[in-house]
Amino acid sequence: MTDETPPHPHPHPHPHPHPHPSPVRVLLAEDQGMMRGALALLLGMEDDIEVVAQVAAGDEIVGAALAHRPDVALLDIELPGLSGLDAAAQLRERVPGCRVLILTTFGRPGYLRRAMEAGAAGFLVKDGPVEELAGAVRRVLGGETVVDPALAAAALSAGPSPLTGRECDVLRASADGATVADVAAALHLSESTVRNYLSAAIGKTATRNRTEALREARRQGWL
């Protein structure tokens, strides 16, 4: 007679199999303090979402993402230092595990196209209900692409930007009353080259001068 205990294969390998999954970690980039606070408060009321970082400038986004390792980054487009679209492209390189959701006041078709090119997983306008935003956070984390339907339709009908990268550079540099000489010096181009780029941009935007061309390019979301 032996007192060997019969083999018992792994009685309870996982006695508590994670009844509460970890909340979705969210980074919030919004330069308006009141809007940022409201979004953080509303998202924080969701049981499965935690706002782990808040920044007010675009050039703080990547550093905050590296420090806090969010699952989803909610980025405004118009930010000081660096636009949300440029930050989205940097996040794709530096923090590839972070999904990007662009949240903007400006539902411009060109912005949507540029957001998708930068690797964003979603694009929503700010006037939607918070439930929709929380749902979008969960959906992009699950691998979906979430886009405001009206904006998606407008972007498809608008087509791609007709402006080249250099034409965009010259238009941006010509803002705030800069002269052709100022633009040429800033971009290390000759004045005749700057005039050629401005002329092309004016023609492509079907406007009468560079001020109108700049305004139209911004309205379309090409800049």
Side-chain angles (χ1 to χ4, degrees), residues 64-154:
L66 287 167
H68 296 278
R69 294 291 169 179
D71 302 306
V72 177
L74 275 180
L75 310 182
D76 191 11
I77 289 181
E78 307 280 347
L79 291 168
L82 192 72
S83 80
L85 297 174
D86 291 330
Q90 290 189 5
L91 282 175
R92 180 172 55 180
E93 299 295 322
R94 305 282 303 281
V95 195
C98 177
R99 303 277 283 167
V100 173
L101 188 55
I102 298 289
L103 188 63
T104 183
T105 309
F106 307 106
R108 295 171 180 163
Y111 277 169
L112 172 58
R113 192 175 288 273
R114 287 168 59 200
M116 296 298 122
E117 287 169 359
F123 194 107
L124 295 175
V125 286
K126 285 181 187 171
D127 58 5
V130 71
E131 295 82 8
E132 187 178 301
L133 177 58
V137 167
R138 297 181 188 105
R139 287 167 62 194
V140 298
L141 189 64
E144 291 184 51
T145 299
V146 181
V147 176
D148 180 89
L151 193 59

Side-chain angles (χ1 to χ4, degrees), residues 2-40:
T2 69
D3 50 355
E4 277 183 22
T5 307
H8 198 100
H10 310 298
H12 297 290
H14 300 294
H16 303 291
H18 307 298
H20 301 293
S22 300
V24 181
R25 297 169 62 80
V26 171
L27 178 151
L28 193 53
E30 163 63 60
D31 61 330
Q32 296 177 23
M34 192 177 289
M35 172 68 79
R36 188 172 64 251
L39 284 171

Side-chain angles (χ1 to χ4, degrees), residues 9 19 50 52 61 72 80 97 103 160 175 184 189 191 200 210 214-215:
E50 180 186 1
V52 295
I61 291 171
V72 177
L103 188 63
L189 297 170
E191 291 185 27
R210 63 180 182 163
L214 178 63
R215 189 183 305 127

Side-chain angles (χ1 to χ4, degrees), residues 171-205:
L171 273 184
R172 283 191 201 96
S174 70
D176 304 320
T179 65
V180 168
D182 294 334
V183 176
L187 298 178
H188 309 292
L189 297 170
S190 71
E191 291 185 27
S192 62
T193 301
V194 167
R195 288 193 186 91
N196 288 340
Y197 281 133
L198 286 173
S199 177
I202 290 164
K204 289 177 179 179
T205 52

